[in-house]
Structures are given as C-alpha cells and as structure tokens.
C-alpha cells in the first residue's frame, strides 16, 4: 500500500516534469466524515463568535480576540495539529488546513491570532523541541491555557531574517542565556504567555531559537499596539528583551539552527496562510453576489449586467483554484509524512521533512492565494459601489484585512524568488530532473512542428495538451536562463519573478483542471458544468499571463535568432486550437453563483 502511494506521490516541484493523474489528487470533495465534522464545527464557531461580532474586531477589542482564542482552545480548534501525546488531537495535515481555512471567514484579526499561535507560535516546539520542552509547553498551548508568539522580525531585520541583532549571552555558570534586543511586528504579543525568540550567540553566522516565557519581571516589555491598515484586533507590538534570562534547556534544537527553524516554521505557515485566505474569499463572493442579486439600478438587479457577472465569475474562479491547489498540496504533505513515519521516522522528523519536501508548492500557494484574496475583495468593494467604501458594509474591512497576506510569512517578492530558486537547487541536487526535459524542449524548438490536428473530443483533452505545453514554456525560459546566468541567475530578479509567475500559473491551473476532471469522472460531466467552465477559464487566464511573462523574460536575456526562436516556441506552446469563449464561460459561472446566491463549490 505504502509503496503504491510512494510511486504515485510526486516529489515537491516534480509537477513540472511529471504528469499527475486526476485520481491521484485530493480534493475538497474527498473529505471524510471526521473532516466534514471538523469543518462544520469550525464554521459554527466562526458564525456565532466571530462573524456576529465583527464590529468588536473593527473597534480594536483585543480582549475579545483573546476571549475567542480561549473558546477556540476549549473547542479543540487550537490542538488539531498537535500530536495526541501532547494532549492534542493529532489530526492529519489536511484537517489542520481545513481549520485554518474555515476559521478565516469572518475577520483577518482572528485568523492572524490563530495562525500566529497554532503555527509559528507552537510549531517550532512540536517540530524542534526536546521531549521535556514538548511535555512542558505544548499541552498548555494546545488547550489555549497559554498563547504563543513568534519573535523573528527586528527593525533592521525583516526579509533578511538572519541578520537580526538580538543577542544571547551565556552566563558564567553556563546555566542560562541572557537575551537582549528589540523585536518588531509581533502578532499576539499583547496577550501571549510564551515567545519563540531568535537571537545570535557571539558572532555566529546563524541565529539560534529559544523558548522564552513571558514574564515582565524578567526584562520583557512591550511597545504600544501598532496602528494598522487592517486586522485591527490582532495584537501587534514591539517586544523588548533587556537581559532576559532564559534557562539553557530552553534553547530550541542546536546553537545556530535558528534560521533553519525559522524557515521551516514558515514553510508550514505559508501553506496554512494560503488556506487562511480561502473562506475569506468564499464569504466575499457570497456577500458580493447577494448584494448584486438585490441591488437594483436601471430597473434591474445589477447581477444582470455583464460587467458584474464578469467580476463574480473571476472571484469564484480564483477561489475555486485556490481550494484546488491548497488541498492537493496538503494531501501530498500528509502522504509524505505517512510514508516517512512508515519508514521509521519520528512524527517530528516526518512532519519536518514532509513539509520541507513541498516548500516550493508552499511558496507558490502563499503568493497565489494571497493575491487572489486581494483581487477578490477588491472586486467585492467594486460590486458594492459606494457601499463598498463604507465601513458599515462587509467589503471595506475584508479589503483591508486581505492586504497583510502579501506581506507576512515572507513577502510575495521573496516567496516568488524562493519558489524558482528552490526548484533550480532541487534540479542541481538531482531531486527533480529539469535538465532532461529542458534539453528535450530545446531540441523540440529546433525541430519542425507537427501540423496534425489532434482529436480533442474528450473532456479536457485540449486543456491538458495545452497545460503540458505551458510546462515547456517554463522549461524553455528557466532552462535557457540557468544556462546563460548560472548561479548569477538570482541577481536577475525581474527574470526570476517572471519565471515564478509562469510556475505559479502552471501549478494553479493544473490543480484546478485535475480536481474538476476527477469530479466530472465520478459525479458525471453534466453535474460539473460550472466547475468545468471554471477550470477552462482559469487555464485561459493563466495562459494569457504566461504569454506576457514568458515574452518579458525571453526578451530580457535572449537576442537575435535565439530570441526569435524562443518567441516562436512561446507562441507554439501557448496556442489554442479552439479558443474558449471566455465571455460565455464567465456568464455560465456567474449564473450558477447568482442562482445559488453564494459560493457553493466547496
Ligand atoms: C501585521 C503584521 C504582523 C506580523 N507578525 C509577525 C510575527 O508575528 N512575527 C515576526 O517575526 N514577524 C511578523 N511580521 C513581520 C513580517 O514578517 C515582515 O514585515 C516581513 O517579513 C517583511 O519584512 P519588512 O517589513 O522588514 O520589509 P522589508 O524586508 O524591508 O521589505 C520591504 C520591501 O522590499 C522587498 N525586499 C526585501 N528584500 C528583498 C530582496 N532581497 N529582493 C527583492 N525585494 C526585497 C520586500 O519584498 C518588500 O516589498 C508581521 C508584520 C506585520 C505587518
């Protein structure tokens, strides 16, 4: 059983060079009974405790955020990812994604508090802690008796996270470290009991992680609450450590391992942040269509206008694509963890390596979904017209809350460059064979194209053929760029960003197609009309982006005949035999969302 699974399970980044069968992707429609119950109880909590009181969050009622976090703890929502041994529920990766997803529906203030606590505030201990550290701290964090926060960023160390100046000095008796430094933008700082703090010992190249209990009498003080654009009730403060004594046994992992811990915690954080944009998006689509169904102008509900239908369709498509890709990757991670555990790895090691394997996908998802939620909320504001600009209506806060997702957990610029950088590194290490396929594409460019007209009668046969060619665009562009610049490629940031956009669109489009194909096969094509339209529309939009980004990349580094040949390749690889009627697709999707008076594809 495990062997079969392992054979079918692609490594991170391999989606580019290996075909995935639709039967091998996990989709939201595959949730089991337990997962559905988890989702429903999360929704019930959100509706009752968060959505119904959104004004309190907007009024910066931090105490209410804390109260909701405590109740989330009582309901077990903070312990989903925590192993049973440490009094958690020990549920799989997909279940933990589900909770992050559905808890995001009402307010970014709460999902930030939730994510900072359950993710970066707790995971470093479950993933890197000693047995004693885990027994001491994790049960308290899992139950919500204690809350965690994560102190990496400093005034001078943001994206360059390993450059922090916070110092940890070992005492003469060797029993404790004394930590001194200033941390900035720390979520949950105002009510947390424990900080994960990164500091430098002597002149070490890399920082070290520590578990620091929040005790004001131990040299810990806080700045005022930051005045922010959105997520108003998420507590964000500076944290000052002034000779804060931390027992040596509270070091996380080893000296100098902090940067690795920080990055691995962020890998998990990134995919979960992507999930934590999804329910926010669904609710914005639902609020948008409800308004459009009711609002009458020119004697007709505005939903009847093509301009509004286009927005509703694009919003729904982006949401559906985000769902498709997030749960595909989540299950890959869950399966990889299971395989590693079956091979004898501890849960801790298995989880670390399982997530690390899909770090490329985690970055892709973080970028794609954080930008989709922003686009969705922006169009939501537009559908509401003047009311979209009003703080009394739901869109204004949703728009402001969405903005942070592009900044934290590594900015989208950093994550774009990471996704391509990690892929190139994997190829260099031989973990993903990009060279072979890239050479084949280069050979194909020199050859004569086939003029056969393929048979595209089967569902998605043309789309899958196109997708396979879009992958060739990436291989052509990235392959030539690596050949030209070698390790210097990283210096060519705009080229890296263009390549990342191509990579992102391929993963998102493929995930959307595979989910829909799987569902069309099992539920019947007739039952999946709007979903098929969504997969087709996503692919069309992705192809347009790839054409633009591909061209930009090619003409930035190739000249003369080489440029001409690559541009011809780009044209050939992005060509439709039968152009989809995107207006008809959009109308079909919007009509379904309008008829359901909400987003009902999850
Ligand atoms: C509300 C909020 C909550 C947060 N919560 C936490 C938390 O709980 N714990 C924590 O440790 N941190 C937290 N952060 C910090 C957050 O992770 C950082 O703000 C983020 O990593 C960016 O760092 P920075 O703000 O210093 O921006 P900078 O690093 O100064 O970046 C500024 C701009 O330059 C770009 N840039 C930087 N370096 C490069 C490069 N090499 N190449 C190309 N472009 C580059 C960035 O993409 C960005 O557009 C939070 C921030 C906010 C706003």
């Amino acid at each position: 059983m495990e062997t079969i699974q392992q054979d079918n399970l692609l490594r991170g980044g391999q989606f580019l060079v290996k075909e995935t069968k639709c039967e091998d992707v996990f989709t939201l429609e595959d949730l089991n009974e337990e997962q559905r119950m988890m989702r429903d109880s999360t929704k019930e909590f959100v509706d009752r405790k968060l959505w119904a009181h959104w004004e309190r969050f907007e009024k910066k009622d931090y105490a209410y955020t804390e109260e909701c976090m405590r109740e989330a703890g009582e309901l077990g929502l903070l312990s989903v990812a925590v192993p049973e041994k440490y009094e958690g529920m020990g549920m799989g990766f997909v279940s933990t994604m589900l909770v992050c997803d559905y808890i995001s529906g009402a307010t970014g203030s709460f999902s930030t508090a939730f994510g900072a606590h359950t993710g970066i505030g707790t995971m470093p201990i479950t993933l890197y802690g000693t047995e004693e550290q885990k027994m001491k701290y994790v049960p308290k964090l899992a139950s919500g008796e204690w809350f965690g926060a994560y102190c990496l960023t400093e005034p001078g160390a943001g994206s360059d996270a390993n450059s922090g100046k916070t110092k940890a000095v070992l005492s003469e008796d060797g029993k404790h470290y004394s930590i001194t430094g200033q941390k900035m933008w720390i979520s949950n700082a105002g009510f947390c009991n424990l900080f994960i703090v990164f500091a430098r010992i002597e002149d070490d190249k890399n920082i070290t992680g520590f578990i620091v209990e929040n005790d004001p009498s131990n040299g810990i003080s806080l700045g005022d609450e930051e005045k922010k654009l959105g997520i108003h009730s998420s507590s964000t403060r500076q944290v000052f450590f002034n000779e804060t004594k931390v027992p040596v046994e509270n070091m996380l992992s080893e000296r100098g391992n902090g940067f690795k811990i920080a990055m691995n915690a962020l890998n998990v954080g990134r995919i979960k942040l992507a999930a934590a944009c999804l329910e926010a998006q669904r609710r914005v689509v639902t609020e948008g269509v409800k308004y459009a169904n009711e609002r009458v102008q020119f004697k007709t509900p505005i939903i009847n206008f093509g301009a509004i239908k286009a927005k509703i369709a694009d919003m729904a498509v982006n949401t559906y694509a985000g769902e498709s890709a997030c749960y595909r990757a989540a299950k890959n991670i869950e399966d990889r963890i299971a395989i590693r555990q079956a091979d004898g790895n501890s849960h801790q090691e298995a989880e670390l390596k399982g997530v690390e394997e899909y770090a490329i996908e985690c970055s892709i998802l973080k970028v794609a979904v954080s930008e989709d939620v922003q686009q969705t909320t922006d169009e939501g504001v537009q559908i509401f017209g003047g009311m979209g600009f009003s703080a009394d209506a739901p869109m204004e806060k949703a728009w402001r809350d969405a903005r942070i997702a592009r900044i934290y957990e590594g900015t989208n610029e950093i994550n774009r460059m990471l996704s391509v950088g990690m892929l190139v590194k994997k190829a260099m290490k031989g973990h993903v064979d990009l060279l072979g396929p890239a050479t084949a594409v280069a050979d194909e460019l020199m050859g004569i194209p086939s003029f056969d007209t393929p048979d595209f009668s089967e569902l998605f046969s043309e789309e899958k053929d196109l997708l396979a060619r879009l992958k060739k665009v990436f291989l052509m562009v990235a392959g030539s760029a690596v050949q030209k610049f070698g390790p210097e490629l990283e210096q060519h940031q705009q080229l890296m960003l263009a390549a990342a956009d191509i990579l992102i669109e391929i993963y998102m489009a493929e995930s959307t197609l595979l989910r829909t194909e799987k569902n069309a096969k099992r539920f019947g094509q007739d039952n999946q009309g709007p979903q098929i339209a969504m997969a087709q529309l996503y692919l069309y939009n992705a192809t347009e982006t790839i054409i633009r980004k591909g061209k930009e990349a090619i003409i930035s580094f190739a000249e003369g005949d080489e440029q001409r040949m690559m541009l011809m390749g780009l044209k050939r690889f992005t060509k439709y035999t039968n152009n989809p009627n995107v207006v008809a697709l959009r109308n079909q999707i919007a009509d379904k969302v309008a008829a359901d008076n909400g987003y009902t594809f999850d």
Side-chain angles (χ1 to χ4, degrees), residues 130 132-133 136-137 146 168-179 193-195 197 199 201 208-215 218 220 241 243-255:
T130 60
E132 291 71 31
Q133 289 169 343
K136 183 171 178 190
Y137 295 114
W146 275 29
V169 179
L170 187 62
S171 61
E172 276 182 13
D173 61 8
K175 288 195 172 148
H176 65 259
Y177 283 93
S178 171
I179 295 188
N193 309 81
L194 172 156
F195 299 102
V197 181
I201 300 173
T208 300
F210 296 90
I211 304 168
V212 182
E213 294 183 20
N214 186 4
D215 173 5
N218 186 16
I220 299 175
F241 297 96
E243 298 189 357
T244 300
K245 288 191 174 54
V246 183
V248 284
E249 56 270 21
N250 274 26
M251 182 188 282
L252 264 177
S253 179
E254 294 162 16
R255 175 172 173 174

Side-chain angles (χ1 to χ4, degrees), residues 273-292:
L273 173 59
C277 295
L278 292 174
E279 177 69 358
Q281 279 197 76
R282 292 186 199 102
R283 291 202 184 213
V284 166
V285 179
T286 295
E287 291 302 308
V289 80
K290 274 194 205 160
Y291 188 84

